[in-house]
Amino acid sequence: MEISLASYLPIVFPYLNSEIATPQTLFSVKKTAKLLAPIPRAGFEIRLDNDRSQIDFQQGILAQDKEPQILTKHLASLIASDERFKDSVWKRLHLFCELWSNPNSFLYPRITEVWLEFDFPDLNNESLIPSIFIGLSQNLNNSEEALAVTKYVLKLLLPEMKDNLLKNLSNCFTACKTPARITHLGMMLSRQTEGLRINITKIYPQQIVSYLERVGYPSDLEPIELLVIKLLKSVDYFRLCLNVGDTIDAKVGLECFMNPKPKLSLRWSEFLDNLVNEGLCSAEKQQALLNWIGNTTPQTSSQPWLSDLIAESCLKPPNQFSSFARIISHLKFVYSPPNLLETKAYFGFYHQWLQPNFTQK
């Protein structure tokens, strides 16, 4: 049987509560995952209120373990054999991956990851056109170099960029003050929007309002400032998300992260408790997310372990074993003026090789 991302899903599907994903949703996710490369790293995006059943599905490809080469080869096979992948988006993505996977190329040391995202608002009509998120290396020397890499990527993936968009994008890079930097560029192709999504990381809470002022944010900044102050009580750091087009969109995203330290699960629980009390998250989705967190090993899995992982384990040191980590990555607050606030959760899984800690007696 040919291996794809879908091959790994049965190991984690038992932990997806029906409050997160209905059987119809899981069917759509698996159907799409069968077409994706055999790289076991994926994520889900859900709305935390009870009225939204939409789920978005993502696959992550990192610049390690020959993953760009695996993706490039997989895309070439799909484009050659499947009519659904004849769209120019997939061909441009394949060209990008060919360059990214080449150690001698301009992109190779400058791109850290690629995420392909699929929206499932209509389970009977899911699109095969992904949104594409590109991660920029933290080793880029300055905002000018980061902007040059971004423009290079856009020429490959979105060759027709309007002048006003490029001007606003350049301003967003220039406005970053150390240590803040733009780390991700999102091309929302599945949503048929001409704008781009940018994520600004390592931005201090007190920098957020001044940054938005510098890039020409078009609405009142006080609600965003109050939201940041409120969230500071619960989270360790933020990532600011903006939509950039002919203008800067008034909709703003604040992604909230917690440092991986002891009692992380308890901290997520307490944070979600607060959201439930404020009506921003249903109690059912809170419990479903907390139940997701954990590790699955061959000993604890309810499904047979994959043969390719078993074969790979034979080549590993005897003190390493195969495992799938199930994590909450972050929560996101999306503010739309004048007073709409939406909450989302991003969670997922990835394969890892663990080494048990033995205590010397």
Side-chain angles (χ1 to χ4, degrees), residues 218-269:
S219 190
D220 182 15
L221 285 163
E222 184 178 4
I224 298 174
E225 185 174 24
L226 293 175
L227 178 61
V228 170
I229 293 171
K230 181 179 181 180
L231 293 175
L232 267 175
K233 300 174 183 178
S234 302
V235 305
D236 294 319
Y237 60 98
F238 296 104
R239 191 156 63 192
L240 177 65
C241 306
L242 292 179
N243 296 320
V244 181
D246 285 341
T247 61
I248 300 298
D249 193 352
K251 181 183 288 188
V252 172
L254 283 175
E255 294 183 343
C256 300
F257 294 83
M258 294 189 186
N259 292 323
K261 55 186 178 183
K263 299 184 179 180
L264 179 59
S265 296
L266 177 59
R267 294 188 67 203
W268 279 126
S269 179

Side-chain angles (χ1 to χ4, degrees), residues 191-206:
R191 303 178 190 179
Q192 297 182 338
T193 176
E194 294 183 355
L196 301 173
R197 172 78 50 78
I198 59 169
N199 292 349
I200 302 97
T201 303
K202 292 187 177 179
I203 185 166
Y204 294 136
Q206 61 270 27

Side-chain angles (χ1 to χ4, degrees), residues 23-236:
Q24 294 89 345
T25 302
L26 295 181
F27 175 81
S28 293
V29 168
K30 188 171 182 179
K31 182 179 177 181
T32 299
K34 284 181 178 179
L35 300 169
L36 301 180
I39 298 172
R41 184 182 303 102
F44 305 90
E45 173 191 342
I46 62 169
R47 284 68 178 163
L48 290 180
D49 59 68
N50 256 335
D51 299 328
R52 300 291 298 275
S53 59
Q54 179 177 336
I55 186 169
D56 299 335
F57 179 59
Q58 307 132 1
Q59 181 181 35
I61 300 92
L62 305 187
Q64 63 185 39
D65 299 329
K66 297 185 177 179
E67 290 185 9
Q69 290 86 345
I70 293 171
L71 177 60
T72 302
K73 182 179 178 181
H74 187 80
L75 288 175
S77 175
L78 288 175
I79 291 170
S81 62
D82 193 323
E83 287 296 323
R84 293 170 293 180
F85 288 84
K86 301 298 184 184
D87 189 280
S88 60
V89 169
W90 289 106
K91 293 178 180 178
R92 293 198 298 267
L93 178 60
H94 177 250
L95 174 60
F96 167 88
C97 290
E98 279 189 319
L99 294 171
W100 181 35
S101 61
N102 182 350
N104 298 317
S105 77
F106 174 75
L107 286 180
Y108 183 79
R110 295 175 171 86
I111 302 298
T112 59
E113 60 184 352
V114 170
W115 285 84
L116 305 178
E117 179 177 297
F118 300 85
D119 299 341
F120 296 136
D122 181 351
L123 297 178
N124 296 314
N125 188 33
E126 61 264 25
S127 172
L128 276 179
I129 301 300
S131 292
I132 304 172
F133 290 82
I134 307 294
L136 302 175
S137 172
Q138 64 179 356
N139 295 324
L140 298 175
N141 293 323
N142 49 51
S143 60
E144 290 81 7
E145 184 179 2
L147 178 59
V149 174
T150 297
K151 288 182 176 179
Y152 188 92
V153 169
L154 290 176
K155 285 183 179 179
L156 293 170
L157 295 174
L158 285 178
E160 297 181 4
M161 286 278 98
K162 292 184 178 180
D163 290 342
N164 282 347
L165 189 154
L166 289 173
K167 181 180 178 180
N168 285 323
L169 183 64
S170 297
N171 189 31
C172 288
F173 275 91
T174 303
C176 282
K177 304 298 182 183
T178 305
R181 65 186 187 89
I182 294 175
T183 56
H184 293 83
L185 174 73
M187 288 148 279
M188 318 304 286
L189 305 179
S190 64
R191 303 178 190 179
Q192 297 182 338
T193 176
E194 294 183 355
L196 301 173
R197 172 78 50 78
I198 59 169
N199 292 349
I200 302 97
T201 303
K202 292 187 177 179
I203 185 166
Y204 294 136
Q206 61 270 27
Q207 290 181 309
I208 291 176
V209 168
S210 60
Y211 178 83
L212 291 172
E213 287 177 337
R214 289 195 297 274
V215 301
Y217 181 72
S219 190
D220 182 15
L221 285 163
E222 184 178 4
I224 298 174
E225 185 174 24
L226 293 175
L227 178 61
V228 170
I229 293 171
K230 181 179 181 180
L231 293 175
L232 267 175
K233 300 174 183 178
S234 302
V235 305
D236 294 319

